[in-house]
Structures are given as C-alpha cells and as structure tokens.
Amino acid sequence: MSRSLRRFVQLLLAVVALAPAAGAEPAANIVPPLQGPVPDVAIDKSHSGNLVTFRNKTYRLRVTNTTASPTPAPITVVDTLPAGLRFVSATGSGWTCSATGQVVTCQRSTPLGARASSSISLVVYVDLPAAPAVTNRAHVSMPGDGVPSNDHAVDAGAVEIVADVGITKTANGPFAVGSTASYTLAVQNRTVRTGATVTVRDTLPPGLTYQSATGAGWSCSAAGNIVTCSTTTPIPLGVTSSVILTVNVGPAAVPSVRNRARVSTKRDENPLNDTSSVTVPVSPGPPPGNPDLAIAKVATGSFTVGSNASYTLTVSNPSANPTTGPTTVTDLLPAGLAFVSATGPGWS
C-alpha cells in the first residue's frame, strides 16, 4: 500500500472514531456529571468517670468535618438533656449556645475547615432522678449534609448517689411579746443512705429564748441561744422527720424576727437544701385576735367574826380585741369564810 493511501485510511479511521453513535446526541451537547465531595459533619460525645449526684459533670461534644473541603454554614448541635440533668453552661470556640428547658442548642455561623474538628464543653448539674444511670443524646446538622448516619451521638454513664438531707423550717401561729411560739423543723432524707447521725442546729435570734424542742427519735438541748437536735434513727428515703421547737417571745423580737436552721450529716454533698429560714411579724402584745383578761380583787370594809363581809372582783380586758364565749371567774374561799352570795351585771 502506497504511503498516500495509508495516510488516507488513517484519517478515515480517526473520523469514524470521533463520530457519535446512531441516534446519539452530538458531542458538543453532552454535559459530563458533576464531581466532588459530599458535605458531611459527624458528632461524638463523651465524659470521664461516673456522674455523682449533686455535683456538676462536663460532657465534650466534638463536631468533625469528614471531607477535604470546608463545610457550609451554619452548623447546629442540639442536646436534649434527660431527666436528672440540669443545664449549667455550654461553651466552645466559634459556638453560641443557649438552653430552653432541657433543650441545649449550640450554633456555629462560620464553616469548619477541611478535616477539622471543633468541641463544645457542656456542663450539667446531676440530680437524683438521673440515678442509677443516665443516657444523653446529641444531634448535629448543617445545610447539604449528605451522610446522616454519623449525625447522632449517644453517651451513657453510671450515676453515684451520695448522702443528702434537707430541711424546711416553718413558723406555727402568731408571734407576740410575752407569749410562746413554735417552729417546725422538717428534715427529709433524699437519698438511699440511712443510719448516719443527722444534726439540726438552730441559733435563736435576739428576742427569742429556748423553752423546749421535741421530736420522735430526736435528742435536743440548748446552750445559750444555740439549740441542737440529733438523731441516729434511720430516716427512710423520701420520709420527713420533724422537730417542734418552742420559744419564748421577748420585746427584742418586735417588729419581726428571722430565724434560720441548718441540717448536716456525714458526706452530705448537696449544700443547697441544708439551711432554711423564716421571717415572722411580732406584735408587741397578745397575738392578734386574742383578748387579754385581767382581774383585780379588793376587800370591802372590815371583817368581823359572825358578820358578813364582801370582796369586789373586777375583770377587765385591756386589749383591743373583744372576748368571745363565756368568761369564768373562780374564787377558792379559804377556811373560815363561807359563801353567801355573788352578783354582778351580766354575771351568773
């Protein structure tokens, strides 16, 4: 085959190779498919050690860009806290966090770099409902995330229960100078630990002096104005054991008096409920609504054997409150006197 003929055949084959198949779209109109990574962020969640009731615990939420390109923005992390965990704070470089009830939301308004990670520190307070174990879940999202399988993180942890007793103090009835009044000191065991000595201490303020303190299983005493009550009797979980503290009310308590009590026991880890105080108004006389009766007795004339003599008994109410119901006067005559009569308007 001559050189010119061989060159012609080569050109013809090249044209055939470039020609589209029958019915195919011309090459100039074919658009190749787009190529590139799918955006994806992943999240993992962790903590160290056991959770302990009445203490804070920190979780770490780490968000990772799994691709070789920066992510879109914004990136949002949502953590719904389970019962027993209470939000304290959430911080992280580039993140803005807030909480509504149990739902914690953190958002990042800037992209996350290729293969980069960013962490959030979530601090929670651990309460009794979290025991004996708690599971916490978090979720991450962003526009165009193409791999939903790694958008969730689950973290389970054991919860240790430590001792906790609390106290509530209430005043019983009105307080008035010259009368007695009382407080109820209610101690509650909020944990499963029982049997340790529980102690209540109440430092009486000026105007109040100790009269008595009693309660089933409690032993009470006073040194000056400091009242101390202790019990070694186990208080069952969730049960309240009370002490009734009775005091004398003096003029220094006017116009109001504030009294505080504190409870303690070994290894009590929750100081938030260890004290309780109450403020009550104090009136300078008898309690509001109550009368104050007084009596005076005077002999009339001279007393002679074999003759009659008389006494005048005067009953008065110096208070601003009228009496209600009957008023009774009792006079025990001594030897040598015999009753003859007793009269007075309104008396029988």
Side-chain angles (χ1 to χ4, degrees):
M1 181 183 294
S2 66
R3 177 177 298 179
S4 58
L5 180 58
R6 194 163 47 248
R7 177 63 177 164
F8 173 76
V9 171
Q10 289 173 344
L11 289 173
L12 181 60
L13 290 174
V15 171
V16 172
L18 291 173
E25 186 177 352
N29 296 328
I30 296 177
V31 179
L34 294 175
Q35 302 294 327
V38 176
D40 176 47
V41 286
I43 187 171
D44 64 83
K45 184 172 187 176
S46 62
H47 72 278
S48 60
N50 289 339
L51 289 77
V52 180
T53 54
F54 317 122
R55 297 182 189 174
N56 289 347
K57 172 58 70 173
T58 300
Y59 288 96
R60 186 185 74 159
L61 287 73
R62 185 177 61 181
V63 177
T64 301
N65 177 8
T66 67
T67 70
S69 301
T71 66
I75 302 173
T76 302
V77 172
V78 176
D79 190 315
T80 301
L81 300 177
L85 300 186
R86 186 169 70 243
F87 174 78
V88 175
S89 65
T91 57
S93 179
W95 296 91
T96 300
C97 301
S98 62
T100 301
Q102 295 294 96
V103 180
V104 182
T105 303
C106 295
Q107 191 168 81
R108 181 185 180 92
S109 59
T110 57
L112 196 57
R115 308 293 182 187
S117 295
S118 181
S119 294
I120 299 167
S121 292
L122 171 60
V123 181
V124 298
Y125 177 79
V126 184
D127 210 342
L128 273 176
V134 66
T135 299
N136 196 359
R137 294 174 171 82
H139 175 264
V140 65
S141 62
M142 73 171 181
D145 190 318
V147 186
S149 60
N150 57 8
D151 292 346
H152 300 269
V154 178
D155 184 355
V159 180
E160 296 180 17
I161 299 177
V162 294
D164 177 36
V165 289
I167 188 170
T168 302
K169 182 172 189 175
T170 55
N172 305 316
F175 279 50
V177 173
S179 65
T180 60
S182 67
Y183 295 97
T184 298
L185 312 177
V187 176
Q188 185 181 47
N189 175 24
R190 298 186 64 220
T191 71
V192 295
R193 296 179 185 270
T194 59
T197 299
V198 178
T199 301
V200 172
R201 176 167 292 184
D202 191 314
T203 302
L204 298 177
L208 300 183
T209 56
Y210 174 79
Q211 186 180 86
S212 65
T214 59
W218 292 88
S219 175
C220 300
S221 62
N225 66 333
I226 300 176
V227 182
T228 303
C229 296
S230 297
T231 181
T232 57
T233 302
I235 303 175
L237 173 64
V239 171
T240 297
S241 180
S242 296
V243 172
I244 303 298
L245 169 61
T246 303
V247 296
N248 302 305
V249 183
V254 177
S256 65
V257 64
R258 180 177 183 267
N259 193 4
R260 185 176 72 166
R262 175 182 292 274
V263 66
S264 61
T265 191
K266 186 178 180 180
R267 290 199 65 205
D268 189 326
E269 295 282 349
N270 182 20
L272 300 179
N273 59 3
D274 288 349
T275 60
S276 179
S277 62
V278 61
T279 300
V280 294
V282 180
S283 63
N290 293 338
D292 178 25
L293 296 182
I295 189 169
K297 184 175 182 177
V298 178
T300 304
S302 60
F303 282 54
T304 303
V305 174
S307 64
N308 291 342
S310 66
Y311 292 96
T312 299
L313 286 72
T314 303
V315 177
S316 63
N317 177 13
S319 76
N321 307 305
T323 62
T324 59
T327 300
T328 302
V329 172
T330 302
D331 192 319
L332 299 177
L333 298 177
L337 298 184
F339 174 76
V340 175
S341 65
T343 59
W347 295 91
S348 59

